[in-house]
Structure formats: structure tokens, C-alpha cells
Amino acid sequence: MRTLVLCATTLILALTSAAAEWYLSPSGEAAAAGSKEKPWDIESALAGKHQISAGDTLLLLEGTYKRRPKEQFEVHLVGTEQAPVVVRPAPGARATIDGGLLVENPSAFVWIRDLEILVSEPTPKDPTEPGSHPQSFTRPWGGLNMSGGKNCKFINLIIHDTRQGISCWSGSIDTEIYGCLIYDNGWLATDRGHGHCIYTQNKDGIKTISNCIMSCKYDGTLSIQAYGSKAADVDNYVIEDNILYEKGRLLIGGGKPSHNVKALRNVFHNVNLQVGYNAPFNEDCEVRDNVLLGGGISINKFNKVVNENNLVLGAKDQRPTEPKVILLPNKYDPARAHLAIFNFQKSPTVTVKVAPFLKPGDSYRLLDPKQFFGKPVAEGKCEGESISVPVSGEFAAFVLLRL
């Protein structure tokens, strides 16, 4: 047994030591060396046209990576469980994808993280004709799109002003969407708003959506639409520790019976949670430890239901006298946490216990999720176990960074 452990350790160390860092630039070239001085272009690198090995990291240098008219950069990268291929900004860089990413097979064990994804063309001010694909609306789709890939992770992305934030279909297996900020996506039509934060279906493996902050701009759009017709699968979901506010119902269910659905420890403000849609029956779901203010929970036609410890306060329900604070540390970035504050009495400031995430003497920055690169809501130095947070109204969501 000891020999096996030593061999495994040696293999992991060999993979780590062999890992390389490659650089991409908006002005990079496919024929370049992939170094910081001579970076690759993003299109050839993400498409797997270079010798990129398991454990390698692709570092995007500062700037905007734009592709038109085919606006989505295809991703065909393959890592391993012990040595994923990582795509991220270079240290200190703000890397923006103007358009989108399309993750396809044979992608596997790819971690894409800390990028900004947007579409720069303006959204029409006037409503378009009804429907999800109006002919007069030619703005690029953009966003993060997953038609394939296995065991891929999408971490701490900032996705806004696209036609749909994330599209994650059944061909994407054992996917994790974690820590993302998704807001102001979609468009307004004469029938309703279109374009969700996340639209997803799933059959095999587990899809996990966790620690994200989501809000919708238009009535009719959803924060998470895990939905399909009688021919589509909506199975095997873990949706946990997310913050959903402003607008955007969370729906898990469709026309075909769903199995193994979990909604755990999510935070809702003026957003409803619906599990089950119009299938004749569903098999099993677990809805636990969620907090809803100004919204409700609907669980429809499940044979086995766990519905426990959910706090639901409707618009007319009496409010607690003390604020409720939920701090969610980020497992992929030890210097980051998401913060939700239910300010029931609408006090101008709320005392937030931040220990042990912040220790006395730590500097911090508090950010609006929609202004991650903008001016902080507050910043300073932690003097004890708590900090004072300015809050306007009954609810607020923030990103808390330790500097």
C-alpha cells in the first residue's frame, strides 16, 4: 500500500512540475510561441490547436477579446481530474470576452474562471416582436454556452448584457457553475422579457449551480430555468448557496418527470422557488434551509419530498426585529465571499460578523455585484469580528474581498 501511495504522489508531482503557462492576447497570433512576449490568439488556443497538456494554464492578458460575426469562441481542451486545464486572466489583468464561449466535446476537466463575458452591441430600447428568436433582433447571443464537455468547472465569471447568461445542456456532464455574477441579460419583447441568467437541462451526472449571485432585468426572465418539454430531461441538480434578487423565478421542472433535485440554502429576495412544472408526476426532491423574503415555495407532484427548515416571509408577514446576515465564503478563492443581508427594519447600516473570513487588521473591499470593477460600496480595515455595512432598503447583496 505504501508503494502505491508513493507512486501516486510521484505521478501527481510529475504532472505538476510538467505543467506550463501559456499566454493569450487580443492581438496574439496562432503562429506565436505562446509566451508573455509573443502570446497566442484566443481562438486557436481555446480550440485546442496547440500542444496544451493536462495541468497547463492559459493566461489571458489585459484587454477585450472580440469575435464577429461568429461571436462565440469554441473550447476544445482536455485535462484530467488531477490536472485540469485552467483558463483565467493573467495576474492583475481584466480579461473581457466580448461575445461568448461555446464549450464542446471532447472538452473535459477544464476550469474557466474569473473572466468577464458581455456583448457590447446595445440592447434595443423598444420591445421586439414576441418569441425567443425574433428576426428583427440581430444582436449577438453571447454568454457561456455548453453543448458538451465532461467534469468542467466555470468559476467566478462575470456575465452581463448578453442575450442569455449561461446555456448548459444535457451534453455537458458533471458540470459545476460556481461563484458567478450574472445580471442584466436578456431583452424585452411585446409578450414578455426573454433571456435567462441560466437555462439548463440535464440527464446524466450531476449539475451543480452554487454560490452564484443572480438577478434579472425583465419580467418573464428567470434566474435559473431548469426546464424542458416532455422530450427533455431535468434530472440530477444540486442548486445551493446562491443569492437571487430583484426579479427572476427559479424553476426546476418540465414536461417530463424529474428525479434527484436539490435546492439547498439559497437566498431569495422578491423571487419565487418552483420545483416541478407540468409533468404528471416527479420522483424525488429536497428543498432545505432556503430563505425567501417576498417570495414563496411551490413543490408540484413529487412522490418523495424533503421540505425542511425553509424561512418564507411574504409581503405581508411580520418582519423579525434583528437583521439576518448570510456570509458565503468562496471555496476556489480564499479571499472572496458573497454576502446577503436581510435588513428587516431598514436600518442605514448593519453590523456584519465576518470572522473568521476576516481577521483583525485585514483590509477589505465591499462591492456591488453589478459593479465588480467599479467603485467599492465600502472599504477599510477590520478592527474586530465585525464590520459595519451600509444598506439601502430591506435587502442587499455584496461581494466581499479580503485584500
Side-chain angles (χ1 to χ4, degrees), residues 148-305:
K150 294 182 179 180
N151 299 101
C152 295
K153 298 178 185 289
F154 305 91
I155 303 164
N156 297 349
L157 301 172
I158 303 168
I159 306 175
H160 61 98
D161 294 290
T162 69
R163 285 179 68 166
Q164 186 155 280
I166 294 177
S167 303
C168 185
W169 307 117
S170 292
S172 180
I173 298 172
D174 286 316
T175 304
E176 182 178 10
I177 300 167
Y178 186 92
C180 298
L181 309 178
I182 311 171
Y183 61 91
D184 287 353
N185 298 286
W187 73 96
L188 185 63
T190 53
D191 54 346
R192 59 175 177 83
H194 293 268
H196 312 296
C197 291
I198 299 175
Y199 197 161
T200 176
Q201 295 168 356
N202 192 61
K203 180 180 180 182
D204 300 318
I206 302 293
K207 274 194 173 67
T208 303
I209 302 171
S210 180
N211 200 253
C212 298
I213 301 180
M214 290 174 266
S215 65
C216 293
K217 189 173 182 179
Y218 303 108
D219 290 325
T221 55
L222 278 70
S223 55
I224 300 175
Q225 173 150 298
Y227 168 81
S229 68
K230 294 180 180 179
D233 295 285
V234 184
D235 295 330
N236 304 317
Y237 279 96
V238 176
I239 299 177
E240 60 183 4
D241 297 316
N242 299 289
I243 300 172
L244 308 102
Y245 69 111
E246 290 185 342
K247 296 179 180 179
R249 175 174 50 125
L250 193 166
L251 168 65
I252 314 168
K256 187 175 182 179
S258 292
H259 305 74
N260 190 25
V261 170
K262 296 181 180 180
L264 313 172
R265 302 180 306 277
N266 299 287
V267 176
F268 300 80
H269 183 248
N270 291 336
V271 173
N272 295 309
L273 169 59
Q274 180 178 343
V275 184
Y277 190 65
N278 62 359
F281 72 93
N282 297 286
E283 187 54 41
D284 55 323
C285 72
E286 187 175 343
V287 180
R288 262 196 308 107
D289 302 309
N290 300 283
V291 181
L292 297 92
L293 177 61
I297 297 176
S298 174
I299 301 175
N300 302 317
K301 298 181 181 179
F302 276 84
N303 293 330
K304 300 176 183 178
V305 176

Side-chain angles (χ1 to χ4, degrees), residues 13-84:
L13 289 174
L15 289 170
T16 303
S17 62
E21 291 185 343
W22 306 102
Y23 287 86
L24 319 183
S25 166
S27 59
E29 298 179 356
S35 64
K36 190 173 184 179
E37 295 75 22
K38 296 181 179 180
W40 287 328
D41 68 300
I42 189 173
E43 181 179 349
S44 66
L46 294 186
K49 295 181 180 179
H50 302 283
Q51 291 298 317
I52 299 169
S53 302
D56 287 359
T57 299
L58 304 184
L59 294 169
L60 278 67
L61 295 170
E62 182 86 19
T64 298
Y65 297 76
K66 185 174 182 178
R67 187 186 189 193
R68 298 291 188 275
K70 189 179 179 182
E71 84 277 4
Q72 297 177 8
F73 295 103
E74 292 90 354
V75 179
H76 299 151
L77 299 171
V78 179
T80 66
E81 183 175 6
Q82 294 79 18

Side-chain angles (χ1 to χ4, degrees), residues 124-138:
K125 294 181 180 179
D126 297 325
T128 68
E129 67 266 30
S132 299
H133 298 278
Q135 292 185 357
S136 66
F137 190 20
T138 58

